[in-house]
Amino acid sequence: MSKKKQKYYVVWQGNKPGIYESWGECEKQIKGIAGARFKSYESRTLAEQAFRLGPELAASIGEGTSSTASGTKDESILTVDELGMTVVRSDYEGPKPELRAIAVDAACSGNPGEMEYQGVYVASRTQLFHFKAPKGTNNIGEFLAIVHGLAYLKKNNMSEILYSDSVNAINWVKSKQCRTKLPLTPETEKLYEIIRRAEVWLHNNQYSTEIRKWETELWGEIPADFGRK
């Protein structure tokens, strides 16, 4: 087995600008930093020269193998190819999301307020399901979206993983309980019926779907995002 070639990572904008000898160290400096700028080089000499020149002039020395400002909150690493299918930017070197997957997300106009959620297929961005309620919370929407996604995958005998960007909702699903504090009122009664059905489904069904956290700080907004931020 051939030895992996050493790379040197230049960080111009991040927690601590400098030159790093591993992706892990570089990632610590750029993770979650909007507008982070970095690039990898095949030798320390080139990396040192690029660091002195800065990101704009560094392009003139060539041989860089990763681009700048990818994977921050302000820029998604996902793009679209000539067939309209989602792909990961070729210049991104960090951990990558699965494209053969379902992503779910929720949005709420006020909290509580009008709530909706949807599920999309990551590779094609095709909407698979959508639900709206006149009053709810974002956490409820995230919880119901995951359960709906699990049920959808099981019904259609699909082995894809499921992404959510909500740690709370993922934990609620694991405990098989929606731990909302939204008051039960005539206005929320129908929503509570749906919540109870979701909880019953979790208790009565086994599933093999892997639920993963969508890493927004690395990958940009989840593909099911409603774009209201």
Side-chain angles (χ1 to χ4, degrees):
M1 181 181 293
S2 61
K3 185 177 180 180
K4 188 175 182 180
K5 193 172 183 179
Q6 173 70 52
K7 287 187 178 182
Y8 298 87
Y9 298 85
V10 175
V11 176
W12 291 286
Q13 294 181 26
N15 288 316
K16 186 177 180 181
I19 299 172
Y20 298 88
E21 296 186 357
S22 72
W23 166 248
E25 289 300 312
C26 175
E27 184 183 27
K28 291 178 183 178
Q29 311 310 318
I30 63 173
K31 184 175 181 180
I33 303 298
R37 305 194 71 176
F38 64 98
K39 197 169 187 177
S40 67
Y41 291 87
E42 305 297 326
S43 72
R44 174 168 282 278
T45 299
L46 285 174
E48 290 174 347
Q49 184 180 359
F51 185 67
R52 289 194 299 270
L53 289 173
E56 283 75 24
L57 295 177
S60 65
I61 69 174
E63 294 193 36
T65 57
S66 67
S67 76
T68 62
S70 66
T72 67
K73 283 187 176 181
D74 290 343
E75 184 174 358
S76 174
I77 67 165
L78 302 182
T79 185
V80 178
D81 65 13
E82 65 277 6
L83 299 177
M85 298 295 289
T86 297
V87 295
V88 178
R89 286 171 46 162
S90 60
D91 52 21
Y92 176 74
E93 293 191 337
K96 298 179 181 180
E98 297 286 344
L99 299 182
R100 290 189 58 186
I102 283 183
V104 299
D105 199 24
C108 200
S109 299
N111 206 23
E114 184 179 71
M115 178 271 292
E116 62 182 318
Y117 69 75
Q118 64 178 348
V120 305
Y121 197 76
V122 175
S124 63
R125 302 297 179 97
T126 303
Q127 187 185 73
L128 302 176
F129 52 82
H130 175 261
F131 173 80
K132 181 180 288 188
K135 189 172 184 179
T137 68
N138 197 69
N139 279 335
I140 291 175
E142 299 278 10
F143 170 79
L144 293 176
I146 295 175
V147 180
H148 196 149
L150 293 172
Y152 181 94
L153 290 168
K154 183 171 184 178
K155 180 180 179 180
N156 291 281
N157 296 313
M158 297 170 66
S159 59
E160 278 79 351
I161 64 173
L162 188 151
Y163 281 114
S164 169
D165 61 8
S166 172
V167 173
N168 281 339
I170 292 173
N171 288 333
W172 288 2
V173 168
K174 289 180 179 178
S175 67
K176 303 181 181 181
Q177 182 181 8
C178 181
R179 296 172 179 168
T180 181
K181 295 181 180 179
L182 181 70
L184 175 59
T185 66
E187 190 177 13
T188 62
E189 185 176 2
K190 289 186 177 180
L191 179 61
Y192 261 92
E193 291 178 4
I194 295 171
I195 291 173
R196 298 296 174 247
R197 289 205 300 267
E199 291 174 335
V200 169
W201 189 93
L202 289 173
H203 281 282
N204 293 342
N205 287 270
Q206 293 184 343
Y207 57 87
S208 58
T209 301
E210 181 182 357
I211 303 172
R212 294 186 190 175
K213 170 72 168 57
W214 181 267
E215 301 297 342
T216 306
E217 292 184 345
L218 289 177
W219 304 335
E221 294 297 342
I222 193 167
D225 182 63
F226 284 90
R228 297 182 185 173
K229 297 178 178 63

